């Protein structure tokens, strides 16, 4: 599958690495493809194309948003029309000091993205764990880490599959409005990691009898 990753930072690099291992074709959408700062990424993922947001998005079936929340609207607009595409929104609408979210309860970043990405099937996923745990994470314990997926559309199965390929138990939580639960869940992960001494080597999982 052709996957365009918009934003080549921590999350974008980890997801690109993970999906390359699964045989997908990765292109990165960035603001300045010639920037020398991408040399490390070019060495890590030599097969990946680094180009503009528009070029990456128009050539891909799946667009994954990995930008800081404040830059996400501009990034989506730079992609051009996303009608008919699958969009996976991995962003979290963090306040600048990462002590909370800048929206919630009656909307979410995921729903906001759906308003900008007119005609796309938008899913919230890959926002609930640290970037370092997104590429085939291995944990002690009886189960795989869980990754919840919110959003509706006939291609949800493909999104659940892409998430599972990274090493997660992918769980369908329903429509995109459930991003209102998944973004605070990410906030809990950040709170535990940054302020409560858990570090970043953990993820949430489901235990069943
Ligand atoms: N880090 C985590 O552990 C984690 C986990 C889950 C979810 N998230 C969420 O995922 C998103 C990305 O986080 P991150 O840690 O990967 O951030 P990051 O390392 O700062 O990377 C974000 C990247 O997006 C780029 N960018 C900004 N505006 C852009 C635009 N208009 N077009 C293309 N690229 C653009 C930035 O480029 P410049 O460097 O040139 O500004 C940067 O390379 C955030 O919303 C975050 O809340 C993060």
């Amino acid at each position: 599958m052709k996957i365009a990753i918009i934003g080549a930072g921590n999350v974008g690099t980890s997801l690109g690495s993970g999906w390359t291992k699964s045989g997908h074709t990765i292109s990165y959408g960035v603001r300045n493809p010639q920037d020398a700062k991408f040399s490390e990424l070019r060495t890590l993922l030599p097969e990946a194309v680094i180009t503009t947001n528009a070029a990456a998005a128009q050539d891909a079936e799946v667009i994954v948003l990995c930008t800081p929340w404040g830059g996400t609207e501009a990034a989506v607009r730079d992609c051009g029309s996303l009608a008919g595409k699958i969009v996976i929104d991995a962003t979290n609408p963090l306040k600048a000091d990462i002590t909370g979210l800048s929206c919630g309860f009656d909307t979410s970043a995921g729903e906001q993205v759906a308003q900008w990405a007119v005609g796309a099937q938008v899913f919230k996923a890959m926002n609930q764990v640290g970037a370092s745990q997104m590429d085939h994470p291995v944990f002690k314990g009886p189960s795989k880490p869980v990754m919840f997926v919110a959003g509706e559309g006939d291609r949800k199965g493909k999104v659940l599959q892409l998430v599972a390929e990274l090493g997660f138990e992918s769980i369908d939580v329903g429509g995109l409005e459930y991003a209102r639960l998944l973004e605070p869940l990410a906030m809990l992960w950040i709170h535990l990691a940054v302020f409560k001494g858990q570090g970043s080597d953990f993820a949430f999982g489901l235990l069943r009898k």
Side-chain angles (χ1 to χ4, degrees):
M1 202 177 284
K2 286 185 173 178
I3 301 175
I5 295 179
I6 308 301
N10 297 309
V11 173
T13 301
S14 191
L15 291 177
S17 170
W19 281 321
T20 296
K21 289 173 191 157
S22 309
H24 298 290
T25 302
I26 304 299
S27 58
Y28 282 96
V30 302
R31 285 181 287 194
N32 178 9
Q34 311 312 325
D35 197 314
K37 71 183 175 184
F38 299 119
S39 59
E40 214 175 304
L41 180 61
R42 288 183 204 284
T43 304
L44 180 71
L45 299 175
E47 318 87 340
V49 172
I50 301 176
T51 182
T52 62
N53 289 350
Q58 294 312 310
D59 192 42
E61 182 181 358
V62 180
I63 287 84
V64 189
L65 301 177
C66 304
T67 44
W69 177 239
T72 299
E73 180 174 7
V76 172
R77 296 206 191 287
D78 283 349
C79 288
S81 172
L82 296 177
K85 309 275 189 188
I86 297 170
V87 173
I88 300 176
D89 171 29
T91 71
N92 282 309
L94 300 179
K95 290 182 180 171
D97 64 0
I98 66 167
T99 60
L101 299 172
S102 61
C103 69
F105 294 113
D106 54 4
T107 190
S108 60
E111 290 161 279
Q112 193 77 68
V113 164
Q115 289 188 354
W116 301 328
V118 178
Q121 291 189 17
V122 178
F123 299 90
K124 188 88 205 183
M126 301 316 305
N127 68 312
Q128 302 143 48
V129 73
S132 60
Q133 308 302 334
M134 292 182 182
D135 175 8
H136 296 81
V138 177
F139 295 99
K140 295 174 196 152
S143 62
K144 289 182 180 179
V146 73
M147 182 60 62
F148 298 110
V149 177
E152 292 300 357
D154 60 359
R155 282 175 289 165
K156 189 176 207 168
K158 287 191 180 182
V159 177
L160 291 164
Q161 173 65 27
L162 282 172
V163 171
E165 285 175 11
L166 292 170
F168 293 86
E169 179 179 7
S170 57
I171 299 277
D172 175 1
V173 297
L176 191 57
E177 66 273 25
Y178 291 101
R180 297 174 199 180
L181 302 182
L182 303 189
E183 290 163 12
L185 181 60
M187 196 63 247
L188 176 62
W189 190 96
I190 293 165
H191 177 69
L192 292 171
V194 177
F195 300 112
K196 299 303 287 181
Q198 292 292 336
S200 58
D201 285 342
F202 75 99
F204 300 122
L206 292 185
L207 296 177
R208 296 181 180 83
K209 282 191 171 178

